[in-house]
């Protein structure tokens, strides 16, 4: 990530603009120099930070550490290539990249969520990824399908999978709840449980309560049958019942729940695999990780994020060549395995990479979460596409949790919202 030796005095690994990303600094050029004065062999990479991630020096250091190891390996093969990274809020990427593209300052590569890559492709802000036939076979066909535009163009190359898990304090809750029943039993036995009202962090329980087929059908605009409708009411009833438990707390967003967990005021929360380093620094060996609780005969439905590499449109021919070479390197099985083992926060997108689950409880939990999430295709589409129905759903579930809506009435409105296709 450091530039060539001749450039070290005027460039740092992380440009000072990063501390001002929320303001006008978003408009400054990557790497701090215009394309006309860029350093030879420099590849500019824009990284999207999820909306529940605050861009701090700690987060920047995490990305630098993770990507630095990949860069080091790549430069053993391509010693003349250097990288400059910058972080941006994922939900602002389209506008930021539009402004950069107008000035010819778009990055060579973007590391973003799959849905963001599709939005950028639709907006003409990234180029379709020219995946080779030998690369295509490495990935799950359904994941590639979700990354394609209506005309069949690929928005990005799959790189990593971020999973949803259950995080617990092993010093106070030695055995993590494996089912919804055990979760509420832990609450009844005095263990404080934290849940987020954020829709993204609630949908895992749809599968556990057996309501996934009903919600899938409604997301696709089809009316659920009576049994499916009853399952939806059962899911909503479970949430309202959970909110009435003395030791179960619903928080307005995930960062608040995580802060309470780190402070020792909660014994269990849903969590993202990418937050584990921060939790581990705060809790040490007390941090435990497990798959999200299943239901009776039903698996949880975590919403796992696919991270992809997309191609910026302002690259020179040489910059594009280096970007494609780096992309191919990162999905190589050896590189994917190294990233997985080195970070213990992500899984490989390459389906031929075997994850050594026997060596790590964390990896075992992430693989289990990945398998749980394979059933959640429609939910992934709903949450990952900035669907305009989400704000209405969010309001409805918030009112339900606080007792302002009955599960039966909320079921009717839920179906109506979902059947209104965007």
């Amino acid at each position: 990530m450091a530039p060539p030796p001749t450039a070290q005095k005027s460039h740092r690994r992380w440009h000072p603009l990063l501390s001002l990303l929320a303001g006008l600094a978003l408009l400054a050029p990557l790497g701090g120099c215009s394309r006309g004065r860029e350093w030879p062999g420099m590849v500019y990479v824009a990284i999207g930070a999820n909306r529940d991630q605050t861009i701090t020096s700690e987060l920047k250091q995490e990305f630098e550490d993770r990507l630095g190891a990949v860069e080091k390996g790549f430069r053993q093969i391509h010693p003349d290539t250097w990288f400059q990274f910058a972080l941006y809020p994922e939900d602002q990427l389209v506008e930021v990249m539009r402004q950069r593209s107008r000035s010819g300052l778009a990055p060579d590569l973007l590391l973003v969520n799959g849905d963001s890559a599709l939005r950028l492709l639709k907006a003409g802000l990234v180029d379709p990824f020219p995946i080779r036939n030998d690369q295509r076979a490495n990935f799950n066909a359904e994941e590639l399908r979700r990354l394609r535009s209506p005309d069949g163009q690929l928005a990005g190359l799959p790189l990593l999978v971020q999973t949803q898990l259950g995080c617990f304090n092993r010093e106070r809750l030695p055995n993590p709840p494996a089912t919804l029943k055990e979760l509420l039993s832990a609450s009844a036995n005095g263990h404080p449980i934290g849940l987020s009202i954020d829709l993204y962090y609630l949908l895992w329980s749809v599968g556990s309560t057996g309501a996934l087929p009903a919600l899938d059908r409604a997301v696709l605009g089809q009316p659920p049958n009576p049994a499916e409708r009853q399952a939806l009411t059962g899911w909503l009833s479970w949430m309202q019942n959970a909110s009435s438990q003395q030791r179960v707390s619903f928080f307005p967003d995930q960062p608040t729940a995580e802060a309470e967990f780190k402070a020792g005021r909660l014994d269990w929360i849903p969590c993202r695999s990418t937050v584990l380093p921060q939790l581990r620094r705060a809790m040490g060996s007390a941090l435990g990780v497990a798959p999200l609780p299943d239901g009776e005969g039903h698996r949880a439905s975590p919403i796992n994020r696919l991270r992809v590499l997309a191609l910026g449109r302002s690259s020179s021919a040489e910059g594009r060549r280096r970007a494609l070479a780096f992309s191919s390197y990162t999905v190589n099985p050896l590189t994917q395995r190294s990233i997985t083992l080195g970070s213990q926060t992500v899984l490989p997108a390459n389906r031929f990479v075997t994850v050594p689950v026997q060596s790590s409880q964390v990896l075992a939990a992430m693989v289990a979460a990945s398998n749980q999430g394979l059933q959640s295709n429609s939910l992934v589409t709903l949450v990952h596409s900035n669907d305009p129905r989400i704000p209405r759903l969010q309001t409805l579930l918030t009112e339900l949790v606080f007792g302002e809506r009955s599960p039966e009435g909320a079921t009717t409105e839920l179906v109506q919202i979902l059947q209104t296709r965007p």
Side-chain angles (χ1 to χ4, degrees):
M1 285 170 288
T6 57
Q8 287 179 354
K9 289 185 179 180
S10 60
H11 285 68
R12 298 183 184 275
R13 287 188 172 186
W14 288 100
H15 197 276
L17 298 174
L18 290 173
S19 62
L20 302 174
L21 284 174
L24 293 177
L26 284 168
L27 304 180
L30 282 164
C33 58
S34 71
R35 285 297 193 197
R37 299 195 302 272
E38 66 183 0
W39 297 107
M42 185 74 74
V43 176
Y44 297 90
V45 184
I47 303 170
N50 293 316
R51 63 185 177 84
D52 52 1
Q53 291 178 299
T54 302
I55 297 179
T56 62
S57 58
E58 181 182 59
L59 184 65
K60 287 180 279 185
Q61 187 63 50
E62 284 182 21
F63 274 106
E64 180 173 0
D65 291 343
R66 293 176 196 165
L67 295 173
V70 182
E71 178 201 15
K72 183 177 180 180
F74 181 74
R75 288 184 51 243
Q76 290 179 343
I77 306 171
H78 302 273
D80 58 342
T81 301
W82 302 82
F83 293 82
Q84 184 79 38
F85 300 103
L87 280 171
Y88 300 93
E90 188 93 14
D91 57 0
Q92 298 178 26
L93 275 175
V94 170
E95 183 57 31
V96 171
M97 292 305 138
R98 181 176 288 119
Q99 293 167 349
R100 287 190 173 282
S101 293
R102 289 169 184 159
S103 304
L105 299 173
D108 300 295
L109 270 176
L110 297 92
L111 175 57
V112 296
N113 294 332
D115 63 307
S116 295
L118 279 168
R119 289 196 297 274
L120 290 163
L121 180 64
K122 182 179 180 181
L125 298 172
V126 299
D127 283 336
F129 201 98
I131 190 170
R132 305 191 308 264
N133 288 335
D134 61 313
Q135 289 177 325
R136 186 181 295 110
N138 290 330
F139 307 110
N140 182 289
E142 175 61 26
E143 291 179 343
L144 287 179
R145 186 192 67 77
R146 290 205 304 266
L147 287 173
R148 291 195 182 278
S149 63
D151 61 359
Q153 294 181 324
L154 191 67
L157 186 70
L159 178 61
L160 302 167
V161 179
Q162 300 173 343
T163 59
Q164 278 190 326
L165 303 159
C167 287
F168 63 99
N169 188 322
R170 63 171 71 248
E171 292 180 352
R172 301 210 302 246
L173 185 63
N175 299 311
T179 66
L180 292 181
K181 182 177 179 181
E182 291 179 9
L183 182 66
L184 294 187
S185 293
S187 166
N189 290 329
H191 296 285
I193 305 298
L195 296 171
S196 169
I197 300 181
D198 186 331
L199 181 67
Y200 176 78
Y201 288 93
L202 282 177
L203 290 178
W204 65 269
S205 59
V206 172
S208 302
T209 56
L212 188 58
L215 204 61
D216 272 347
R217 184 187 291 269
V219 167
L220 295 174
Q222 302 169 3
N225 61 40
E228 291 170 337
R229 187 181 181 90
Q230 184 177 1
L232 281 176
T233 301
W235 170 52
L236 299 173
S237 296
W238 182 85
M239 280 195 293
Q240 194 169 80
N241 177 51
S243 70
S244 68
Q245 304 297 309
Q246 184 176 1
R247 294 279 182 172
V248 176
S249 299
F250 276 83
F251 296 93
D253 53 54
Q254 184 64 16
T256 301
E258 290 171 3
E260 291 294 294
F261 181 64
K262 286 191 288 187
R265 290 186 285 271
L266 296 173
D267 289 351
W268 185 95
I269 61 168
C271 62
R272 292 173 292 106
S273 59
T274 50
V275 80
L276 296 181
Q278 302 166 35
L279 296 178
R280 194 170 290 116
R281 281 193 291 270
M283 301 176 62
S285 60
L287 176 65
V289 178
L292 287 163
D294 293 323
E296 296 295 332
H298 303 287
R299 290 192 299 169
S301 51
I303 307 300
N304 301 321
R305 283 189 174 120
L306 181 67
R307 299 283 279 179
V308 307
L309 288 171
L311 297 172
R313 302 201 65 186
S314 294
S315 295
S316 63
E318 182 61 21
R320 174 59 57 84
R321 183 189 70 80
R322 294 175 190 271
L324 289 172
F326 181 71
S327 300
S328 295
Y329 173 80
T330 58
V331 298
N332 177 285
L334 290 177
T335 306
Q336 291 261 293
R337 180 180 173 87
S338 176
I339 293 172
T340 301
L341 295 179
S343 69
Q344 302 251 333
T345 60
V346 293
L347 292 177
N350 188 322
R351 64 192 181 95
F352 294 115
V353 178
T354 301
V355 179
V357 295
Q358 295 84 1
S359 65
S360 168
Q361 181 188 19
V362 174
L363 291 178
M366 287 197 293
V367 169
S370 177
N371 291 331
Q372 288 174 324
L374 290 176
Q375 61 181 332
S376 310
N377 289 333
S378 294
L379 296 189
V380 169
T381 301
L382 172 69
V383 178
H384 280 189
S385 61
N386 279 6
D387 195 297
R389 294 172 288 187
I390 289 179
R392 294 176 61 194
L393 292 173
Q394 191 71 65
T395 299
L396 175 64
L397 294 181
T398 300
E399 293 173 349
L400 171 86
V401 165
F402 286 99
E404 297 182 13
R405 295 293 188 96
S406 69
E408 294 76 15
T411 299
T412 298
E413 185 167 351
L414 176 70
V415 172
Q416 291 174 345
I417 292 173
L418 291 176
Q419 287 184 329
T420 304
R421 302 299 297 275

